Amino acid sequence: MGAARAGEVLGVNIKALREARGWSLSELARQSSIAKGTLSQLEAGTGNPTIDTVFSLSNALQVPVSELLTERSVPEVVLVRSAELEVLSSNAVDLRLLRRLDLADKVLEIYDQRVRPGEVQRTDGHPGLEHVVVTAGVLRVGPAGNPFELGPGDYVCYPGDVPHVYETVGGPVTSVLMLEYPKA
């Protein structure tokens, strides 16, 4: 899915979730701390959201990030081309949603994650668990007060609802991020 199509999907999903709750655009702005004008652009499919914006919407609407970013389909074979994925960026991290899996009692989201050197990504938290596997580089990641240093092949899982950080040690890092949410 190209960036333009991904923006349309995001817009449709935000509007549907907002309306399902009976919220006005103003109420979603209040709940998410995102400007009403920005939300209007996102719903129209013309905005360019950051990671923080999408996570704020996810928290406000109490849904997994993938609920905002994906169309619903259940194909037998799934092929994801990196060049076709929209990139969610922050000062330090680029995320590409590879797949959402709806299981009986949870939702799993799998991301290709790139972390840039020289910056720190701080996140206030969100529901569920974070699972991280480093594929290249060295990453300091985990709860803000006690992050772990991971090298290639290392894995960590920690509660996502606590403030946490992502920071490279040295050069750039590639990793796989899996978010595990309880099903609403």
Side-chain angles (χ1 to χ4, degrees):
M1 175 175 10
R5 179 72 184 126
E8 291 172 17
V9 169
L10 176 65
V12 167
N13 289 340
I14 292 170
K15 186 173 183 178
L17 290 164
R18 176 179 62 77
E19 289 177 347
R21 285 158 180 72
W23 290 357
S24 65
L25 212 50
S26 295
E27 179 61 17
L28 180 56
R30 189 182 71 72
Q31 293 284 338
S32 65
S33 299
I34 297 171
K36 186 176 172 183
T38 300
L39 291 172
S40 180
Q41 287 179 331
L42 292 174
E43 283 194 4
T46 60
N48 187 19
T50 64
I51 291 171
D52 294 331
T53 299
V54 174
F55 273 91
S56 291
L57 287 166
S58 169
N59 284 331
L61 294 164
Q62 297 181 352
V63 297
V65 170
S66 59
E67 189 86 15
L68 298 171
L69 299 176
T70 57
E71 292 180 283
R72 295 285 181 227
S73 66
V74 186
E76 290 183 30
V77 175
V78 176
L79 172 64
V80 178
R81 300 277 187 201
S82 178
E84 298 174 358
L85 296 175
E86 181 172 356
V87 178
L88 291 175
S89 293
S90 71
N91 65 307
V93 175
D94 293 328
L95 289 177
R96 290 172 181 83
L97 177 63
L98 298 170
R99 181 74 195 252
R100 174 193 165 111
L101 302 167
D102 289 287
L103 306 175
D105 62 343
K106 63 185 78 172
V107 173
L108 301 176
E109 298 171 348
I110 303 168
Y111 293 89
D112 168 46
Q113 178 174 254
R114 312 288 169 102
V115 186
R116 289 182 291 285
E119 298 287 341
V120 179
Q121 172 70 39
R122 289 176 175 44
T123 302
D124 290 334
H126 52 82
L129 297 172
E130 289 208 7
H131 303 261
V132 179
V133 178
V134 171
T135 56
V138 179
L139 181 65
R140 188 172 294 121
V141 61
N146 188 26
F148 303 94
E149 200 166 288
L150 306 179
D154 290 345
Y155 162 84
V156 67
C157 175
Y158 55 89
D161 63 354
V162 299
H164 47 279
V165 298
Y166 285 84
E167 178 181 16
T168 65
V169 178
V173 171
T174 58
S175 58
V176 175
L177 168 65
M178 184 172 70
L179 299 180
E180 177 183 343
Y181 296 96
K183 199 164 222 176

